[in-house]
Amino acid sequence: MSVQIKPSQAGTLESSDILIMLAPAEPGTGISIELVSPTIHQFGDQIKKVITDTLQANGIKDILVHANDKGAWDYAVEARVKTAILRAIS
Amino acid sequence: MKKDKLRRAMMFVPGNNPNMLQNSGIYGADSLIFDLEDTVSIPEKDSAPYLVAGVIKHVKFPCEVGVRINHLSTPWGRTDLETVLPSKPDFIRLPKAESAEEIKMIDEIISEVEYKCGFEPGSIELMAAIESPKGLRNAYEIATASPRMMGIAIGGEDFSTSLKTGKSLSGRELFVARSMVVFAAREADVFALDSVFSDIRDEETFTQEVIQAKEMGFDGKSCVNPKQVEIIYKIFTPSQKEIDHAHRVLEAYNEALEKKHGVISMNGKMIDAPMIIRAERVLANATAAGVYKREE
Amino acid sequence: MKNAAGREIPGSIPGYKEFTPYAGPFVTHPTVRKAGPVLKAVYPGADKVVKTLDEAIEASGLKDGMTISFHHAFRNGDYVINQVVAAIARKGIKGLTIAPSSFLDTNDELIPYFEQGVLVAAQTSGLRNKLGQFLTTNKLTKPVVIRSHGGRVRAIESGELKIDVAFLAAPTCDIYGNINGVDGPAACGSMGYAMVDARLADTVVAITDNLVEGPICPVSIPQHQVDYVLKVDCVGDPKGISTGALRITSNPRDLVIAKYAAKVIEHAGYFKEGFGMQLGAGAASVAAGKYLRDTMLREKIAASFAIGGIVGPFCDLLDEGLIGTLFDVQSFDSRTIESIKNNPRHQEYDCTFYANPWNKGPMVNRLDYVVLGATEVDVNFNVNVMTDSNGIMMGALGGHPDASAGAKCTIICAPLMRGRLPMVTDAVQTISTPGETIDVIVTDRGVAVNPLRQDLMENLKGSGLPLFSIEELKKMAYELGGTPKPVPVSDEIMGVVEYRDGSVLDLIRRPM
């Protein structure tokens, strides 16, 4: 089943938060993530993993993600992605 | 009511602010309340529960953690519970409680989640805030509506608004309501918590409110800022003088028991039963606050 | 080979002196006579006043390849460093080494002069902003030499750093070269760093916007050390020099840390009448002073002295009699400048007196407590205050290694997490102060005592502080924020961090 996605965003640019923006992508193009983070060296891969895992757990296979990170911990990344998904499919 | 537990300072933390949520444990508040209600704007009502559930699971807090949900009559109340409960908060705080039925409904939802998630039945507690005359009239029923109920609080801002007045600096419009909340809590044997005071710059008025709350019999006060936690502790934690006095009272009492004296006196003053109960409570509070160690 | 701090150090570093690796805080000893400036005589009737900066540079005899120095007491209000270097560049002089007591936020303007080859090497206590970024990513002919305040004086007095011309910003100067820091529109208080350069540079040029006939009183730098005096319109912006009265932070997290730090001081074992202390100028350190004040009043215990860079709240303690004497190498705010000018128990002193490991005893040796900040700390208690999370030189050693080596109890304050970054890690990016001189780490989520200090650990039990092992703190941080991947660096050595005794403590490599 493919989910109808409309552009959405969740989160903020405040410290320890992350702004997640989702946009629909062509079927079969997969999940592509554009990440801006002050700790990209240390945590870039981890942030992308949390975003990908959360999207997949919600059945989303093809999507464009723009993430502007301000030092969010994993739980906050996950929460913001979940909200963005909720807003994208509602 | 767990006698060894202290709920002097219950600190509210805005539920949509990760920075404040994840650091809220370092200020030594007895209880934290992650707020999904007043401090979360309507467009963010869908996001805060995820954040609150996430932070409860991710961070080991050094104290009990509760969640203030939106009222069940709002579009968010039920989702708040469904999202947050699986993270196993220590308690749920219901705002604007008006009847025992509301409490029973929440109790049921909690029971379902406890069962589904394999939590110990009854392990998630409940408290309710009285914020209207109707709620006040039903305060005892609310406080006893579920075995989960561990406390009731007065919500001063809403209550004074419902009286067609506003919250004054003196707080005289709330005096009776505050007292009645304490009465109901004592009858129901649950905690009584005083209202927040939201002007964090006005430490003087806040201090006066805390002193009043202690004198009126409240167990503690809700607050919104670490600075207020400190002030609450200064006032609610028994002073060395109070501890010494309580100690002497109990010593005199025990001595009299041993010697089978009928009348107990200390420095020529008669010691009566309420004095002994008060002395025991002072030492229990002091022990829980870590400022007194009972001799074995 | 690995030095005593566990860092891999090559046998030689291109463009750097012959050296020994760091072997321990008190292992490398002096072997030479003290170095001094060339002897000069100025006879009656001489006129030291020069009209223009060009004239001053010419008179100073500055030539290609020489070393120039500046002091950093004007902080972000300094106009002198950038102006002088620009004038030197206009004269076509090249290949200079610049060795200020520290660089400032305003020194980004120097970048073009490094690019043009006017400046070819830098020696400093600190680097910031774009200049820090530039010098971490653009290779000079020599690596940047990073020294503590005490280490810099040691390097000068041992002849390792020879200053040809010192250009010294002077808040007030008379026509024969007497300088003080307390009068004039650009008053900065203590001249503690400049005093060293005045005494030891071959040629000293005083630059002032408050030239008086004199002789002035008080005198911080005496005329017999000064070659030339130049009057300019403005040496600095008073707003950037002193920040106004420094206010104690209201950040609740810093206050939690400060409260713990004050409690460590109270219980660690040296909190006795007449103790000595240094509290850094960081938010938590300053606030620790506030809580310590309450404790001092409650326990009726006063300190005999306090040292370091001084901030207003400590002047209040001096006035209240809770500190006997303040020794001030750098005055941070207007309150402090006022105090050093008017209170005879607020003593100006120079940087050798403060922190030089190779003299007959600096004040840091007499410290019971020092409270300092950190960018990060590792499980071996090594502290980094020099490079940021991307490996860029973006900090300053300052007196950190000096006070840490001297004090009986060194307390480091920092939040456990900065955003997502752990403050306690497996290994710091750059060691600026070795762990064997660090005793207690205070964070908002717990306090750790160096296992080398079982005595402190005993004393702190029962104090009510949340005590953890350093590994536990690290684990807590990694669980909260995740395990950080190390910043990848190349082999290229951009900076050498010297320990205060001149041995090599660590190297700063170019991040990839």
Side-chain angles (χ1 to χ4, degrees):
Chain A
M1 185 198 81
S2 85
V3 205
Q4 273 303 311
I5 301 274
K6 60 175 191 269
S8 75
Q9 76 173 52
T12 72
L13 292 176
E14 281 170 47
S15 134
S16 299
D17 208 340
I18 185 169
L19 185 70
I20 299 282
M21 284 181 270
L22 302 181
E26 292 297 317
T29 53
I31 293 170
S32 46
I33 302 171
E34 200 183 305
L35 173 66
V36 181
S37 169
T39 52
I40 196 110
H41 287 307
Q42 293 89 345
F43 297 111
D45 293 341
Q46 175 63 14
I47 296 169
K48 284 183 185 170
K49 183 179 182 299
V50 173
I51 294 173
T52 308
D53 290 352
T54 311
L55 289 166
Q56 283 173 346
N58 285 274
I60 292 172
K61 297 192 183 70
D62 307 300
I63 199 153
L64 300 173
V65 184
H66 180 87
N68 194 340
D69 171 55
K70 297 291 173 188
W73 300 1
D74 281 351
Y75 82 90
V77 177
E78 186 184 333
R80 295 320 194 187
V81 175
K82 280 182 178 170
T83 305
I85 295 169
L86 188 75
R87 291 174 182 176
I89 60 180
S90 65
Chain B
M1 183 167 161
K2 292 178 206 152
K3 298 273 188 265
D4 59 336
K5 196 162 182 71
L6 286 180
R7 290 190 171 108
R8 297 162 298 178
M10 288 191 141
M11 189 169 82
F12 278 111
V13 187
N16 199 37
N17 185 320
N19 191 32
M20 290 171 99
L21 287 170
Q22 68 204 25
N23 292 317
S24 58
I26 67 172
Y27 303 114
D30 291 326
S31 320
L32 294 170
I33 303 177
F34 296 163
D35 183 35
L36 301 177
E37 201 213 12
D38 286 352
T39 61
V40 177
S41 66
I42 288 175
E44 293 299 330
K45 289 287 186 196
D46 59 345
S47 72
Y50 288 128
L51 209 54
V52 164
V55 83
I56 292 173
K57 262 194 272 181
H58 186 78
V59 178
K60 267 188 222 134
F61 288 95
C63 59
E64 66 173 1
V65 171
V67 178
R68 176 163 77 172
I69 57 166
N70 291 284
H71 196 270
L72 285 186
S73 63
T74 67
W76 314 289
R78 190 166 276 271
T79 329
D80 287 351
L81 280 172
E82 283 164 0
T83 310
V84 154
L85 284 172
S87 69
K88 200 170 193 303
D90 295 302
F91 65 90
I92 294 293
R93 174 166 164 149
L94 177 73
K96 301 184 177 71
E98 296 205 311
S99 71
E101 282 65 44
E102 297 162 2
I103 302 294
K104 290 190 174 122
M105 274 169 70
I106 296 174
D107 180 302
E108 266 172 43
I109 299 172
I110 296 177
S111 295
E112 272 170 42
V113 176
E114 277 177 346
Y115 178 75
K116 253 192 273 176
C117 297
F119 301 155
E120 193 192 324
S123 55
I124 298 175
E125 294 186 296
L126 252 174
M127 70 176 292
I130 307 296
E131 307 187 49
S132 68
K134 184 179 174 193
L136 189 61
R137 179 158 51 78
N138 294 327
Y140 175 76
E141 283 68 32
I142 291 169
T144 52
S146 153
R148 296 182 192 278
M149 283 297 292
M150 59 79 166
I152 52 175
I154 169 124
E157 293 288 350
D158 281 275
F159 198 96
S160 47
T161 308
S162 67
L163 297 180
K164 294 195 175 175
T165 175
K167 204 169 168 233
S168 69
L169 280 187
S170 73
R172 60 167 69 85
E173 72 285 351
L174 286 176
F175 189 77
V176 172
R178 278 185 160 129
S179 273
M180 288 175 70
V181 165
V182 175
F183 301 164
R186 293 297 162 251
E187 191 182 354
D189 197 20
V190 297
F191 281 77
L193 278 310
D194 193 22
S195 173
V196 296
F197 178 77
S198 41
D199 184 356
I200 56 171
R201 287 159 308 171
D202 186 357
E203 290 182 20
E204 206 184 309
T205 311
F206 180 75
T207 305
Q208 287 313 312
E209 281 208 356
V210 181
I211 292 170
Q212 178 189 262
K214 190 189 176 199
E215 287 174 355
M216 291 183 78
F218 282 103
D219 294 288
K221 189 168 171 66
S222 304
C223 63
V224 293
N225 184 280
K227 236 197 260 170
Q228 295 185 330
V229 174
E230 226 174 286
I231 295 171
I232 292 173
Y233 286 178
K234 234 177 244 165
I235 291 160
F236 266 90
T237 305
S239 66
Q240 197 52 47
K241 218 171 133 189
E242 288 173 288
I243 294 171
D244 290 344
H245 180 261
H247 204 81
R248 282 199 304 273
V249 168
L250 292 182
E251 252 176 12
Y253 173 63
N254 288 332
E255 204 184 299
L257 277 188
E258 265 171 40
K259 293 184 183 162
K260 301 205 168 73
H261 285 182
V263 180
I264 313 160
S265 71
M266 187 177 86
N267 304 335
K269 255 196 202 161
M270 197 184 78
I271 296 177
D272 52 11
M275 264 178 94
I276 293 159
I277 293 169
R278 279 204 300 276
E280 274 174 345
R281 202 165 50 225
V282 165
L283 293 190
N285 276 346
T287 308
V291 293
Y292 174 73
K293 270 201 190 95
R294 248 174 230 280
E295 286 157 35
E296 291 308 318
Chain C
M1 64 170 289
K2 274 200 172 135
N3 69 10
R7 293 293 159 122
E8 197 61 52
I9 309 288
S12 71
I13 300 168
Y16 184 63
K17 68 177 181 183
E18 267 186 48
F19 64 90
T20 54
Y22 169 74
F26 306 108
V27 174
T28 308
H29 308 293
T31 54
V32 293
R33 292 193 71 86
K34 192 190 276 184
V38 65
L39 268 181
K40 291 185 190 175
V42 171
Y43 297 109
D47 183 4
K48 293 188 180 182
V49 178
V50 290
K51 297 269 170 321
T52 64
L53 187 47
D54 273 11
E55 199 185 319
I57 293 165
E58 270 163 39
S60 75
L62 185 69
K63 297 196 173 52
D64 289 2
M66 283 185 164
T67 297
I68 56 174
S69 83
F70 303 90
H71 71 80
H72 72 285
F74 280 21
R75 289 172 287 275
N76 296 325
D78 181 82
Y79 291 165
V80 167
I81 301 180
N82 295 339
Q83 266 183 57
V84 168
V85 173
I88 290 170
R90 281 196 300 273
K91 296 193 79 67
I93 299 170
K94 278 185 153 46
L96 300 178
T97 295
I98 185 169
S101 49
S102 195
F103 283 112
L104 308 162
D105 280 3
T106 49
N107 291 137
D108 289 353
E109 284 181 38
L110 297 178
I111 292 171
Y113 305 112
F114 280 104
E115 289 170 333
Q116 292 157 19
V118 176
L119 304 172
V120 294
Q123 308 193 6
T124 179
S125 155
L127 276 165
R128 308 203 178 269
N129 288 0
K130 289 190 185 129
L131 183 62
Q133 177 90 34
F134 176 83
L135 291 175
T136 320
T137 50
N138 291 271
K139 184 107 187 182
L140 306 179
T141 52
K142 297 171 176 179
V144 177
V145 180
I146 310 287
R147 294 191 184 97
S148 70
H149 289 326
R152 178 174 187 265
V153 192
R154 176 208 54 78
I156 299 171
E157 291 195 347
S158 66
E160 210 175 288
L161 169 56
K162 179 176 173 288
I163 297 167
D164 295 299
V165 185
F167 294 93
L168 300 181
T172 288
C173 186
D174 70 30
I175 55 168
Y176 222 60
N178 291 298
I179 297 171
N180 78 44
V182 294
D183 296 316
C188 65
S190 175
M191 295 293 287
Y193 298 113
M195 285 154 91
V196 171
D197 296 50
R199 200 170 60 238
L200 294 157
D202 274 354
T203 300
V204 175
V205 179
I207 302 177
T208 189
D209 54 8
N210 189 34
L211 180 65
V212 296
E213 186 74 22
I216 58 165
C217 182
V219 172
S220 300
I221 291 173
Q223 60 188 37
H224 59 82
Q225 296 173 348
V226 177
D227 295 80
Y228 304 104
V229 175
L230 169 68
K231 162 102 165 64
V232 295
D233 289 341
C234 188
V235 290
D237 173 11
K239 278 196 215 99
I241 294 171
S242 79
T243 51
L246 183 133
R247 293 175 62 152
I248 290 175
T249 178
S250 62
N251 177 325
R253 194 153 72 145
D254 286 335
L255 291 177
V256 168
I257 297 168
K259 218 183 297 176
Y260 289 160
K263 219 166 191 185
V264 171
I265 293 178
E266 182 184 353
H267 294 281
Y270 307 109
F271 186 59
K272 293 179 181 133
E273 182 61 27
F275 74 105
M277 64 173 169
Q278 173 173 348
L279 305 183
S285 314
V286 174
K290 176 186 117 154
Y291 291 107
L292 188 60
R293 175 180 174 275
D294 297 343
T295 314
M296 291 167 93
L297 288 171
R298 166 165 43 84
E299 301 295 323
K300 301 193 171 54
I301 285 175
S304 61
F305 72 93
I307 66 169
I310 301 296
V311 293
F314 302 149
C315 303
D316 297 339
L317 295 181
L318 179 71
D319 287 352
E320 286 181 277
L322 292 174
I323 294 174
T325 309
L326 283 178
F327 291 87
D328 186 345
V329 72
Q330 185 180 17
S331 320
F332 276 103
D333 59 4
S334 53
R335 168 80 177 91
T336 308
I337 296 168
E338 193 61 34
S339 169
I340 198 172
K341 184 174 177 177
N342 297 318
N343 191 332
R345 300 215 59 96
H346 188 152
Q347 165 85 47
E348 179 181 42
Y349 76 150
D350 76 2
C351 195
T352 197
F353 192 171
Y354 166 41
N356 180 2
W358 283 1
N359 64 21
K360 293 170 188 171
M363 280 307 285
V364 293
N365 288 4
R366 303 182 67 178
L367 284 171
D368 291 294
Y369 291 108
V370 62
V371 181
L372 299 164
T375 308
E376 50 171 356
V377 178
D378 66 26
V379 290
N380 297 312
F381 288 81
N382 296 313
V383 170
N384 174 19
V385 288
M386 196 56 220
T387 48
D388 70 6
S389 59
N390 294 315
I392 303 293
M393 292 191 268
M394 202 58 68
L397 297 197
H400 204 294
D402 304 308
S404 298
K408 293 194 182 80
C409 178
T410 299
I411 301 164
I412 302 296
C413 288
L416 185 64
M417 307 297 298
R418 283 196 173 89
R420 200 173 172 151
L421 286 168
M423 200 283 294
V424 181
T425 63
D426 283 318
V428 290
Q429 181 76 21
T430 304
I431 301 177
S432 53
T433 304
E436 55 202 300
T437 63
I438 302 295
D439 301 306
V440 184
I441 309 292
V442 174
T443 79
D444 48 347
R445 291 174 197 264
V447 174
V449 180
N450 192 327
L452 295 172
R453 297 301 304 272
Q454 290 298 327
D455 56 328
L456 296 184
M457 222 177 293
E458 255 336 286
N459 292 340
L460 292 176
K461 274 182 198 158
S463 63
L465 284 163
L467 295 175
F468 295 90
S469 73
I470 192 80
E471 282 82 10
E472 285 170 329
L473 281 187
K474 188 214 84 179
K475 188 163 168 271
M476 201 189 298
Y478 281 26
E479 278 172 8
L480 292 172
T483 303
K485 285 193 179 161
V487 174
V489 292
S490 71
D491 288 340
E492 259 184 291
I493 296 165
M494 310 304 289
V496 177
V497 180
E498 280 187 8
Y499 192 57
R500 55 203 296 258
D501 61 12
S503 62
V504 172
L505 182 59
D506 206 350
L507 301 171
I508 295 166
R509 295 184 165 86
R510 185 213 292 259
M512 302 234 254

